[in-house]
Amino acid sequence: MSHIAKTNLTQAQLDAHWMAYTGNRQFKKDPRIITAASGHYYTDADGRQIFDGLSGLWTCGLGHSVPAINEAVAKQVKTLDYSPAFQFGHEKSFQLAEKITEFMPAGLNRVFFTGSGSESVDTALKVARAYWRKKGMGTKTKFIGRAKGYHGAGISGFSVGGIPANRILYGQGLESYHLPHTQVPGTEFSKGMADTGKERAEELLNMIAMHDASNIAAVIVEPMSGSAGVIVPPKGYLQRLREICDQHNILLIFDEVITAFGRMGAQSGSEAFGVTPDIITMAKQVTNGVIPMGAAVFKQEIYDTFMDTGGAEYMLEIPHGYTYSSHPIACAAGLASLETIRSQGLIERVHQMSPTWENHVHSLKGASDAITDIRNYGFAAGITLAAADGEPAKRPFQIAMSMWDKGYYVRYGGDTIQLAPPFTTEESEMSSLIDALGESIKKFG
């Protein structure tokens, strides 16, 4: 089925846009144009309704065109469209900062606003280095990430990230090293957290022995790796990382750009997995994807270190920030998004419905020999597919395009199909999505 857009786009317009994370050559031959969104569905240029099986890009857990967010944004545009982020403030940034801390584990209570998840990671890493310099330990500059980790598209994010396709083109980044991922042989088709794999955290001790803790600023991991295909931590793994970091005076950063604010059936991935880091990065769900916004949240002691060594009160404690930090329209959207999550009990709903989602997802086991693994947690699932004709990325692309033809948007990346339905998804929609996916996998399996 062709999807040449029924729009007024010219070829020159199509050519002018260098699209992000897209096979531009293929797309521009057969564009997939989205024209509207409401509830759980997109509308494409052919007028078809497309179920949003990834909540945007893990962004729109509340669905699309949420009245409370729309009203808050419209009111804010008319009242205060922009406010300088440096040395002046507006009320909603302070209100949103406090609201965010209500979703965070105890002790993480100082919020630095950014414009995206990539900027949030960059902020966390810069602050980690600066913190140790403030503490008189300026040699602590190295970072440890994890294989298959994703931490945004900035130079710092690709440095600590561990997805090869996102790294190999760009050469040398920040000095970073990588823990092994936690997909342990024998744990395929685990439901939720696997019972084995905790021992992979012990590799951190080997890295510390090699590089010495006096040179390591922080360890950064996603509580659940999303972009690599929903890689769920084994039981005890994150706790062990926390223990080792504490023993060796290394900061622990959780990248919660995907896991914060309900996706895991908890307020955060930290809460879901029972481990409190020193820094949490976030974006996406904070505004339900309506307006770009991110944040890094720090424990009190990190903030106090900068305040206590900041010099005269009028001086900058840290020379860092962004033009769009704490943008008033984004803050209005954020307040409405988080209030909607709370008032509608959506975290509790995800928690209660997660077993139903799990059962539907794992019903695909055995549907095709191409399916080599299925993973899930909360309202997220990843399906690994065997390579077709020696091309690991081909089959996921074919399946995702088949799903689009059927009226479902899912994410394909590497050798995986990724799913993350809206928080208010009904069981009938789950069933329909998984049935369609099973048919598409069998077609190309």
Side-chain angles (χ1 to χ4, degrees):
M1 178 178 180
S2 175
H3 297 295
I4 297 298
K6 296 179 180 178
T7 72
N8 294 320
L9 287 176
T10 65
Q11 189 62 50
Q13 290 169 333
L14 282 168
D15 291 343
H17 183 187
W18 192 348
M19 298 173 69
Y21 282 113
T22 298
N24 280 255
R25 293 162 297 171
Q26 186 279 331
F27 179 92
K28 291 172 184 180
K29 290 179 180 177
D30 187 13
R32 300 173 293 280
I33 303 296
I34 295 168
T35 60
S38 180
H40 301 164
Y41 293 84
Y42 286 113
T43 302
D44 77 353
D46 297 321
R48 301 184 310 135
Q49 294 294 290
I50 310 291
F51 181 76
D52 185 359
L54 196 77
S55 299
L57 274 172
W58 311 89
T59 48
C60 310
L62 306 183
H64 298 277
S65 195
V66 178
I69 301 176
N70 292 348
E71 292 165 10
V73 168
K75 181 178 179 181
Q76 189 62 45
V77 170
K78 296 176 183 178
T79 306
L80 179 64
D81 59 348
Y82 180 80
S83 176
F86 307 157
Q87 299 163 340
F88 296 87
H90 62 91
E91 291 181 351
K92 282 188 170 56
S93 71
F94 300 96
Q95 294 167 355
L96 179 58
E98 181 185 40
K99 178 66 71 174
I100 287 172
T101 65
E102 294 173 3
F103 287 78
M104 295 291 101
L108 273 78
N109 56 6
R110 295 295 179 262
V111 181
F112 194 106
F113 286 111
T114 72
S116 68
S118 295
E119 289 182 357
S120 299
V121 167
D122 196 63
T123 294
L125 299 180
K126 284 179 70 176
V127 169
R129 277 189 169 183
Y131 168 77
W132 291 120
R133 291 178 71 86
K134 289 281 189 180
K135 301 283 279 187
M137 290 178 267
T139 61
K140 291 172 74 69
T141 60
K142 298 179 181 181
F143 297 106
I144 295 176
R146 184 169 59 190
K148 297 195 176 186
Y150 181 75
H151 302 291
I155 193 165
S156 63
F158 97 73
S159 298
V160 295
I163 297 178
N166 293 341
R167 294 171 50 85
I168 57 177
L169 187 60
Y170 303 110
Q172 184 63 42
L174 300 182
E175 190 170 8
S176 306
Y177 305 91
H178 294 80
L179 295 164
H181 61 75
T182 57
Q183 286 182 274
V184 178
T187 62
E188 295 85 0
F189 301 98
S190 293
K191 294 184 176 181
M193 302 174 76
D195 292 324
T196 59
K198 170 186 174 181
E199 65 279 359
R200 292 214 166 177
E202 302 302 319
E203 179 61 25
L204 180 54
L205 291 173
N206 294 331
M207 291 187 171
I208 292 170
M210 176 66 70
H211 302 286
D212 196 76
S214 65
N215 296 311
I216 301 171
V219 172
I220 179 168
V221 297
E222 301 157 277
M224 178 203 76
S225 296
S227 294
V230 184
I231 303 175
V232 181
K235 294 174 182 176
Y237 172 83
L238 294 174
Q239 286 81 355
R240 184 60 181 141
L241 288 185
R242 175 75 276 180
E243 292 170 358
I244 295 172
C245 287
D246 285 342
Q247 291 164 4
H248 295 273
N249 206 24
I250 296 170
L251 295 177
L252 179 60
I253 304 170
F254 277 2
D255 185 342
E256 296 226 29
V257 169
I258 285 176
T259 56
F261 307 116
R263 177 63 55 191
M264 300 288 92
Q267 296 187 123
S268 64
S270 175
E271 180 184 65
F273 301 120
V275 179
T276 300
D278 302 297
I279 304 170
I280 287 178
T281 62
M282 62 187 62
K284 296 189 184 290
Q285 190 57 58
V286 68
T287 64
N288 200 51
V290 170
I291 300 287
M293 183 177 227
V297 185
F298 300 88
K299 67 179 183 181
Q300 179 79 44
E301 193 272 334
I302 293 176
Y303 175 84
D304 287 345
T305 296
F306 286 90
M307 298 305 111
D308 294 344
T309 58
E313 285 191 351
Y314 65 88
M315 295 295 292
L316 308 179
E317 292 92 8
I318 183 167
H320 177 67
Y322 305 94
T323 301
Y324 299 109
S325 291
S326 64
H327 194 288
I329 298 173
C331 288
L335 284 165
S337 173
L338 298 185
E339 178 55 34
T340 300
I341 289 171
R342 276 278 163 79
S343 65
Q344 295 187 8
L346 296 181
I347 293 175
E348 293 79 7
R349 186 183 192 280
V350 172
H351 179 74
Q352 292 167 1
M353 290 291 290
S354 288
T356 300
W357 170 244
E358 177 178 86
N359 289 336
H360 280 289
V361 170
H362 280 272
S363 71
L364 291 173
K365 181 179 180 181
S368 168
D369 290 341
I371 299 174
T372 61
D373 193 14
I374 298 173
R375 301 165 300 281
N376 72 285
Y377 201 94
F379 266 24
I383 300 166
T384 301
L385 300 162
D389 304 321
E391 299 180 58
K394 182 178 180 180
R395 182 174 276 138
F397 166 76
Q398 292 172 320
I399 291 168
M401 294 305 98
S402 172
M403 289 293 285
W404 182 259
D405 288 345
K406 292 175 180 292
Y408 301 89
Y409 159 62
V410 300
R411 187 164 190 263
Y412 63 96
D415 60 354
T416 68
I417 293 290
Q418 300 161 28
L419 306 172
F423 299 163
T424 49
T425 300
E426 298 294 342
E427 183 174 4
S428 60
E429 293 173 314
M430 295 178 185
S431 178
S432 177
L433 171 66
I434 297 304
D435 286 349
L437 183 56
E439 292 172 1
S440 294
I441 293 173
K442 289 175 184 177
K443 179 178 180 180
F444 293 101

